[in-house]
Amino acid sequence: MIFDCNALCALAEVRDETFDTPLELGGEGLWAGVLSSGRCLSEAPGAQATTGSPGDLLLCAGSVRLLPQSPCHLLAVRLTGQAVGLFGAGLGYPRFVPGAACPGAAELMALLCQDGPTGTPQQSQTGYALLCELARADEPPRRLSPLVAAAVEAICNNYIGLYGVEELSRQLGVSKCHLVRCFSAEMGVSPGKYLTGVRIEAAKLLLLEQEYSLEMIAGLCGFSSATYLCRVFKRETGQTPAAWRDSNAPAPARHLPPRSNEIYL
């Protein structure tokens, strides 16, 4: 072998945890995870604690203890290798960072967590792509105003049942115009656009699971029908859900035929 991809980046461990008591993550390398529900604190010796909310990403070089403030769900992968070591050296303390800073990270983690043989070149490439996606995550998180932070949390927690910006503004006790103005100024997109993006990212994760039909995915992601999901998905990504699923499905393992007979010259 000319080059071992796993020396650069390799998947060492996957954790898919639902927890309401302290959770320990340990081992060599880098932990990268996405907190899909709940709130918790990261705790590590000599490091400042950070709070994670739904949609936030966890980054930790080494060990970390997570203290849930409410029932939580975390999907996390542990990566090892030379590129991982360089990334961890610049990371510093364990932290939660906004998922919006690295919008493709959750999708790449889901690809790494799919069942399949470990140590493959494709898996190493996906892990390295995840590192590249997380490259900006060690920057200080953006400080949002209380209104916009509450709006982001409400969208991430209830994107399935949220009817639109009008309902969101009523929940937050402000006018729709005021919410749109403040949200757009701080986030760079309108709350409606942000809600659509959250739903599309959720749909992508479900599309990776072959057993879900488009009708089921639409209902689980807050779209009124499969037809509407297809229309919005094509507008936002440039692909239909079916085409996106086909292009992002894991490649089947390839095996050489058995060498039952030798040919001598």
Side-chain angles (χ1 to χ4, degrees), residues 11-209:
L11 176 64
E13 187 176 353
V14 172
R15 297 284 292 272
D16 188 351
E17 301 282 353
T18 299
F19 61 101
D20 55 12
T21 57
L23 175 67
E24 305 276 353
L25 298 177
E28 176 189 2
L30 173 77
W31 281 104
V34 57
L35 187 68
S36 59
S37 64
R39 293 175 63 87
C40 66
L41 295 175
S42 66
E43 183 183 74
Q48 66 186 79
T50 62
T51 302
S53 300
D56 285 352
L57 303 174
L58 171 69
L59 293 177
C60 171
S63 300
V64 65
R65 189 167 188 255
L66 301 179
L67 306 176
Q69 298 176 320
S70 61
C72 297
H73 177 262
L74 178 77
L75 178 65
V77 296
R78 181 166 62 89
L79 303 174
T80 58
Q82 296 173 1
V84 174
L86 293 173
F87 186 99
L91 177 61
Y93 62 89
R95 69 191 70 188
F96 281 101
V97 299
C102 311
E107 178 184 334
L108 291 167
M109 288 182 207
L111 287 173
L112 280 173
C113 293
Q114 288 183 351
D115 293 335
T118 59
T120 63
Q122 180 182 356
Q123 199 174 67
S124 178
Q125 292 167 12
T126 303
Y128 186 76
L130 176 59
L131 289 181
C132 294
E133 179 68 18
L134 296 171
R136 299 183 302 274
D138 61 346
E139 299 174 356
R142 183 190 333 187
R143 294 187 178 275
L144 300 176
S145 67
L147 172 61
V148 175
V152 169
E153 183 172 2
I155 289 172
C156 292
N157 282 340
N158 193 32
Y159 62 87
I160 298 175
L162 196 61
Y163 287 106
V165 180
E166 293 84 356
E167 181 186 358
L168 179 61
S169 62
R170 286 197 300 270
Q171 291 178 3
L172 298 174
V174 297
S175 70
K176 177 183 175 182
C177 291
H178 180 65
L179 176 61
V180 171
R181 183 169 60 251
C182 295
F183 196 102
S184 301
E186 295 186 36
M187 299 296 293
V189 294
S190 69
K193 184 77 170 177
Y194 187 86
L195 172 60
T196 298
V198 170
R199 286 173 169 166
I200 290 296
E201 290 304 312
K204 286 179 178 179
L205 292 178
L206 293 177
L207 283 167
L208 295 174
E209 303 293 335

Side-chain angles (χ1 to χ4, degrees), residues 198-265:
V198 170
R199 286 173 169 166
I200 290 296
E201 290 304 312
K204 286 179 178 179
L205 292 178
L206 293 177
L207 283 167
L208 295 174
E209 303 293 335
Q210 296 293 329
E211 66 267 23
Y212 288 109
S213 67
L214 288 182
E215 199 66 46
M216 291 175 63
I217 292 173
L220 290 170
C221 296
F223 294 98
S224 58
S225 66
T227 301
Y228 185 55
L229 165 63
C230 292
R231 184 163 66 247
V232 175
F233 198 98
K234 178 68 179 295
R235 184 189 70 206
E236 297 296 320
T237 68
Q239 292 181 292
T240 65
W244 188 93
R245 171 183 266 168
D246 291 341
S247 62
N248 287 274
R254 296 181 179 179
H255 303 283
L256 293 175
R259 298 175 61 189
S260 56
N261 297 308
E262 298 288 345
I263 299 177
Y264 299 90
L265 298 177

